[in-house]
Amino acid sequence: MGLHTTVRYCAVLLTTLVLASCGFHLRSDKILPSNTNYLHIESTTRNAPLLRALKVRMDVYQIDGGTEAKPVYEDTTITIRLQPEKLDRRLLSVFATGQVAEYELIYSVRYTVTFPDGKQVSNFFEVLREYQDDPDQVLAKSRELNLVLDEMRLDAADRIIRLLSSQSPRN
C-alpha cells in the first residue's frame, strides 16, 4: 500500500472510532414511535394554517392520519391537539425617518400530544424570523410576509413531527 492509501485508511478508521465512541448513530427512517401507525390531529379551528401545514408535512413523511373521526385502532393512534397559534412581532430597527425597517416575527405554537398508552405531553415552542419592512412597497411586502409565515408554519409542523418520536414513552 502506498502512503496516500495508508493515510486515507487511517483517517477513515479514526473517524469511525470517534463517531462510535461519542454515541453517534444514524436515525431510523421511522418518524412515529414503533408502537403507533396513525396520527390524528385536532384543532380548535377547522382550517387552521398550522393544521394545513401539518397535513402537508404528513404527506412528505408518508404518515397515515388526518383530522377525520378517530380511527377504529385507537390503541396505535397518536393524537395531537393544536392550540390557537399566535404571531407577535418585535421591533429590531428603524429608518432615519422613524419608520420601521426590520421586525422579528415570533410564531408561537402550543400543542398537546396523547400517546396510545394515555400519556399526555404538552409542548410550547417559538419559530423566529427576521422580516425587513419597506413602506414604499406595501403590496410586495405583504406577499413576502405571507410567504414567510407559510415557511414558519411548515418549520413548526416539521418540528412537531420530529418531536413525536423523542417524546413517546419508552416501551
Side-chain angles (χ1 to χ4, degrees), residues 9-162:
Y9 177 75
C10 287
V12 170
L13 182 63
L14 181 63
T15 302
T16 304
L17 287 173
V18 167
L19 287 176
S21 66
C22 75
F24 174 82
H25 62 279
L26 294 174
R27 294 179 62 184
S28 65
D29 61 349
K30 180 137 174 78
I31 299 296
L32 295 180
S34 60
N35 63 336
T36 60
N37 61 5
Y38 193 85
L39 183 59
H40 178 74
I41 307 169
E42 297 175 356
S43 175
T44 55
T45 308
R46 183 179 195 103
N47 202 18
L50 182 56
L51 179 70
R52 290 193 312 264
L54 266 168
K55 287 180 183 178
V56 167
R57 299 323 273 174
M58 285 170 59
D59 287 343
V60 169
Y61 290 114
Q62 299 175 346
I63 297 173
D64 290 333
T67 58
E68 294 74 33
K70 283 190 182 180
V72 177
Y73 41 92
E74 279 192 40
D75 58 333
T76 60
T77 299
I78 294 176
T79 301
I80 297 177
R81 283 185 195 83
L82 300 174
Q83 304 302 317
E85 60 190 14
K86 183 178 177 189
L87 180 67
D88 290 319
R89 62 184 181 182
R90 183 178 13 218
L91 179 66
L92 292 180
S93 63
V94 293
F95 292 115
T97 61
Q99 293 177 314
V100 175
E102 190 175 22
Y103 290 107
E104 180 177 52
L105 299 174
I106 306 163
Y107 181 69
S108 303
V109 176
R110 207 176 280 283
Y111 67 98
T112 303
V113 179
T114 304
F115 292 96
D117 66 353
K119 178 185 175 197
Q120 286 191 341
V121 177
S122 294
N123 206 345
F124 169 81
F125 63 87
E126 295 176 335
V127 179
L128 306 173
R129 291 287 189 281
E130 290 182 9
Y131 173 73
Q132 294 182 353
D133 199 12
D134 185 355
D136 297 331
Q137 298 181 3
V138 176
L139 186 58
K141 282 300 183 177
S142 174
R143 288 184 184 150
E144 181 183 347
L145 178 61
N146 287 334
L147 289 173
V148 169
L149 290 175
D150 287 344
E151 177 186 312
M152 292 172 79
R153 288 181 182 112
L154 287 173
D155 284 353
D158 279 337
R159 189 167 176 181
I160 289 170
I161 290 172
R162 281 193 315 266

